[in-house]
């Protein structure tokens, strides 16, 4: 399968992966659409339209176009090598959390080691990334970036990495602020039973965006450092 962009994700396994794939309507591990669950009072398809193409994930290295001269095989080789140097991380758990105007799963506990993994992956695979175009930069800057985010955009091609990184597994698009409590209350009984306690991040996943715009799993690698 040909991919237009690549990224490094954390992708859940087991019950959370299955529930999350159904919630979003896309199973990136199997590369197929999934029927949405019936959740009382919610239009699940509308709520998940924006994050659907990405699948259930937390972004570790944001999507990038391969640099001139770089290859998919080269990315895979370096990704696997990185994972052999990175150690698994254990946190207290995951929680359903409002982040701005969308809902996500966020980790409870000290995230320093998790943040360090993300920084190492961004840094270690940076040579494979094509720099953003001027149009990309202008689009990102519409978000009124902080000085740190602007520096990240210039150096790493994305604002929300390094010091500005926050691990999260997106579950909805942007919602009206007034709807957040209602959607949270309806979603919680569906997703909460599948949340791991503790939460162990012991693998990362190389993914690719296909010509249909959807992201697919390319390779999952265990963290064995």
């Amino acid at each position: 399968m040909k991919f237009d962009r690549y990224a490094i994700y954390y992708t859940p396994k087991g019950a959370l992966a299955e529930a999350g794939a159904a919630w979003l309507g896309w199973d990136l591990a199997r590369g197929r659409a999934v029927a949405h669950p019936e959740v009382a009072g919610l239009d699940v398809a509308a709520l998940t339209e924006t994050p659907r193409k990405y699948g259930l994930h937390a972004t570790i290295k944001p999507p990038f176009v391969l640099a001139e001269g770089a290859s998919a095989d080269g990315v895979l080789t370096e990704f696997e090598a990185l994972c052999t140097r990175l150690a698994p991380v254990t946190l207290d758990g995951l929680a359903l959390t409002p982040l701005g105007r969308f809902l996500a799963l966020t980790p409870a506990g000290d995230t320093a080691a998790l943040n360090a993994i993300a920084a190492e992956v961004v840094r270690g695979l940076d040579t494979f990334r094509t720099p953003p175009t001027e149009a990309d930069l202008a689009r990102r800057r519409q978000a009124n970036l902080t000085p740190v985010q602007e520096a990240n955009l210039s150096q790493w091609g994305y604002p929300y990495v390094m010091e500005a990184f926050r691990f999260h597994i997106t579950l909805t698009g942007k919602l009206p602020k007034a709807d957040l409590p209602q959607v949270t209350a309806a979603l919680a009984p569906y997703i909460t039973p599948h949340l791991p306690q503790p939460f162990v991040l012991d693998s990362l996943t190389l993914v690719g965006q296909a010509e249909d715009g959807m992201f697919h799993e390319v390779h999952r690698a265990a963290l064995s450092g």
Side-chain angles (χ1 to χ4, degrees):
M1 185 177 291
K2 181 180 179 181
F3 297 116
D4 298 323
R5 296 192 296 169
Y6 291 88
I8 307 301
Y9 285 174
Y10 164 74
T11 58
K13 295 175 282 189
L16 178 57
E18 297 296 328
W23 169 256
L24 292 177
W26 177 251
D27 186 332
L28 68 84
R30 297 180 177 92
R32 68 187 188 193
V34 184
H36 295 294
E38 296 284 341
V39 179
L42 297 182
D43 182 345
V44 178
L47 288 171
T48 58
E49 181 179 2
T50 299
R52 182 172 305 125
K53 71 178 183 180
Y54 301 100
L56 188 73
H57 80 287
T59 300
I60 302 298
K61 181 173 179 62
F64 60 94
V65 176
L66 284 179
E68 185 175 353
S71 69
D73 287 343
V75 173
L76 176 58
T77 298
E78 186 56 33
F79 167 66
E80 290 182 316
L82 262 175
C83 289
T84 65
R85 301 194 295 271
L86 298 172
V89 174
T90 299
L91 291 100
D92 296 341
L94 291 172
L96 179 60
T97 310
L99 291 181
R101 289 173 49 196
F102 65 94
L103 295 177
L105 302 177
T106 60
D110 185 354
T111 60
L114 180 54
N115 296 345
I117 284 177
E120 186 64 23
V121 172
V122 168
R123 189 180 300 112
L125 295 176
D126 193 60
T127 58
F128 293 95
R129 170 183 64 85
T130 294
T133 64
E134 288 301 319
D136 293 332
L137 294 172
R139 178 171 56 86
R140 292 292 180 193
R141 286 168 175 150
Q142 290 176 359
N144 297 318
L145 303 179
T146 67
V148 167
Q149 292 165 352
E150 175 64 34
N152 286 334
L153 179 63
S154 298
Q155 183 169 1
W156 306 110
Y158 192 73
Y160 310 110
V161 295
M162 302 303 180
E163 300 93 331
F165 173 75
R166 183 174 182 182
F167 181 98
H168 61 280
I169 298 174
T170 302
L171 296 178
T172 72
K174 286 185 177 180
L175 304 170
K177 288 184 179 180
D179 291 352
L180 282 168
Q182 174 196 350
V183 176
T184 301
L187 173 55
Y190 172 78
I191 202 69
T192 301
H194 306 296
L195 301 183
Q197 290 185 336
F199 165 51
V200 181
L201 188 150
D202 58 4
S203 66
L204 294 175
T205 305
L206 172 65
V207 300
Q209 186 178 24
E211 293 175 336
D212 62 2
M214 309 302 284
F215 279 81
H216 298 249
E217 177 179 309
V218 176
H219 180 68
R220 181 190 292 271
L223 303 187
S224 56

